[in-house]
Amino acid sequence: MNVKSIQILSLLVFSVSISCKNESSLEKEINALEIDFVVERFDEVFSKTTTKELPKIKQVYPFLFPERIPDSVWITTINSDLQKEMFSEGVKQFPDFKSEKESFENLFKHVKYYDKTFKIPRVITVADGVDYRNKLVLQADLLIINLMNYLGEEHEFYQNIPVYFAERMKPSQITPEIAEKYAMKYAHQSQRKTFLDEIIYHGKLLYFKDVMIPNFSDADKIGYSQEDINWAEINEAQIWSHFVENEMLFSTDPKLFTRFTIPAPFSKFYLDIDNDSPGRLGQYIGWQIVRAYAEHSDVDIISLMQAESDQIFKKSKYKPKR
């Protein structure tokens, strides 16, 4: 190794060292923030509710009890075999919810650091049947988590659910999916007409997770298996070339969104590689574009979430290595 190479290597090591120190200092500052909240285990409370106690419970959680449904229906529900099984499975998988609460706290601290107006939500867990398309609710300052949607990808409740949905129905997905709900609140684009608009929008949501839940793996952030994330990383340049060479980026064909951004067993290139690929690879590429933009721009996360897709794309100088 010549002198010039040694100097370049030393400079790179120094730059990485400074970057790591800055990140460590930032995380310490964020961790020092004080926030206070509890996780209300409504699933446990409801499982023990009697006819006599029901009116009091309804006063505490009125938003969980539609007025059109009589009390007799709620009592019948509590005592049904299916509901008892759901109560049992929720407690079995989440006996104390301690690690999940710590994870939420870390997320809330990060959001609070970047948005001083952020208000900690009221966090409530329920056991309300399996609904893989609506796994949790974030409305105003209320966060409701249906534990039945996070029991583990091989749980018997999920036997009739497509595998590519069931794979994300595990405890490790709760915090990333809460982060995504917040990301959607901050994200804005004046248009989502082209394929490039769409993948960059999803890229923003994923980059928001980079900032707000940095301790999670890339696989958990996007909801891939480790094999899926490895495949995407290895084939990133080829995926990008396919999009460019087939003039997809500025296309407004909605079929492209279906093929590359919505949940699916695989991405549809209409090539031999399809069955080996994970779904939603358009989201993955959008993520890498936004990451590249963040590297080339001195912009805070809140401003980044508001940036237009053409601005992000031009300034990203995105060019994956082959």
Side-chain angles (χ1 to χ4, degrees):
M1 184 179 289
N2 58 36
V3 174
K4 187 175 182 180
S5 296
I6 292 173
Q7 289 175 335
I8 292 173
L9 180 59
S10 298
L11 181 60
L12 288 172
V13 171
F14 178 74
S15 298
V16 170
S17 176
I18 292 296
S19 176
C20 290
K21 286 181 179 178
N22 288 340
E23 287 183 10
S24 177
S25 176
L26 174 62
E27 286 303 308
K28 286 181 180 179
E29 188 177 349
I30 292 172
N31 192 52
L33 293 177
E34 293 187 6
I35 62 173
D36 184 33
F37 74 99
V38 297
V39 175
E40 301 176 51
R41 291 296 299 266
F42 174 78
D43 56 308
E44 294 185 359
V45 171
F46 193 46
S47 70
K48 301 168 184 173
T49 299
T50 64
T51 303
K52 183 179 180 180
E53 295 168 334
L54 184 60
K56 185 187 298 183
I57 300 302
K58 289 173 68 175
Q59 286 183 344
V60 179
Y61 301 97
F63 42 84
L64 296 177
F65 295 92
E67 292 184 4
R68 68 180 184 279
I69 299 178
D71 289 358
S72 58
V73 172
W74 295 118
I75 297 301
T76 299
T77 298
I78 293 169
N79 293 315
S80 71
D81 290 340
L82 176 58
Q83 189 63 59
K84 285 181 178 179
E85 185 178 4
M86 287 193 290
F87 288 145
S88 175
E89 292 301 304
V91 173
K92 186 190 301 181
Q93 180 63 270
F94 304 99
D96 59 21
F97 222 66
K98 183 179 179 180
S99 62
E100 287 78 14
K101 183 179 185 295
E102 289 174 353
S103 182
F104 299 170
E105 182 176 348
N106 189 259
L107 166 61
F108 296 156
K109 284 183 176 181
H110 279 76
V111 180
K112 183 70 175 177
Y113 178 84
Y114 291 101
D115 178 8
K116 307 307 180 189
T117 67
F118 173 70
K119 293 182 179 180
I120 308 301
R122 182 179 179 185
V123 184
I124 301 169
T125 63
V126 300
D128 194 27
V130 176
D131 185 352
Y132 62 88
R133 294 186 183 276
N134 299 286
K135 296 164 74 177
L136 55 84
V137 175
L138 177 62
Q139 272 186 348
D141 298 327
L142 184 64
L143 173 61
I144 302 174
I145 303 162
N146 184 359
L147 300 182
M148 297 303 98
N149 296 322
Y150 299 100
L151 297 175
E153 57 190 293
E154 297 182 358
H155 196 278
E156 61 180 337
F157 285 178
Y158 308 155
Q159 289 181 355
N160 297 319
I161 292 175
V163 172
Y164 56 92
F165 279 112
E167 287 174 342
R168 302 175 71 182
M169 301 179 74
K170 51 189 177 183
S172 63
Q173 280 296 291
I174 301 178
T175 301
E177 291 184 357
I178 294 171
E180 183 164 321
K181 291 289 187 182
Y182 278 111
M184 292 170 70
K185 288 179 175 290
Y186 288 102
H188 171 75
Q189 284 178 195
S190 60
Q191 66 175 30
R192 286 170 62 185
K193 295 180 181 178
T194 68
F195 183 56
L196 183 63
D197 291 335
E198 189 69 6
I199 66 174
I200 286 180
Y201 173 79
H202 286 287
K204 286 181 179 181
L205 304 186
L206 288 161
Y207 184 73
F208 185 87
K209 298 179 189 181
D210 283 340
V211 175
M212 302 301 177
I213 51 172
N215 293 332
F216 278 76
S217 69
D218 282 0
D220 279 333
K221 290 172 190 170
I222 194 171
Y224 276 177
S225 67
Q226 190 56 49
E227 291 75 17
D228 287 342
I229 204 76
N230 292 343
W231 194 98
E233 290 172 354
I234 292 169
N235 292 281
E236 181 182 345
Q238 287 71 27
I239 299 166
W240 178 245
S241 293
H242 182 84
F243 289 168
V244 173
E245 290 168 7
N246 288 277
E247 300 180 345
M248 294 180 176
L249 297 182
F250 300 103
S251 171
T252 57
D253 183 355
K255 291 180 181 178
L256 289 176
F257 303 177
T258 303
R259 289 166 57 190
F260 295 107
T261 65
I262 69 170
F266 52 81
S267 294
K268 299 178 179 66
F269 296 94
Y270 303 134
L271 299 171
D272 292 340
I273 64 170
D274 282 14
N275 289 335
D276 296 324
S277 71
R280 299 179 289 119
L281 281 171
Q283 292 189 19
Y284 177 82
I285 294 297
W287 189 10
Q288 307 320 307
I289 293 172
V290 176
R291 280 176 163 176
Y293 170 72
E295 288 180 6
H296 288 96
S297 305
D298 183 19
V299 60
D300 66 272
I301 182 62
I302 304 301
S303 299
L304 181 148
M305 299 299 287
Q306 300 289 311
E308 296 295 345
S309 59
D310 58 345
Q311 173 190 343
I312 289 176
F313 181 55
K314 289 175 183 176
K315 290 189 177 182
S316 72
K317 302 177 182 178
Y318 175 68
K319 190 175 182 180
K321 296 179 182 178
R322 290 187 176 277

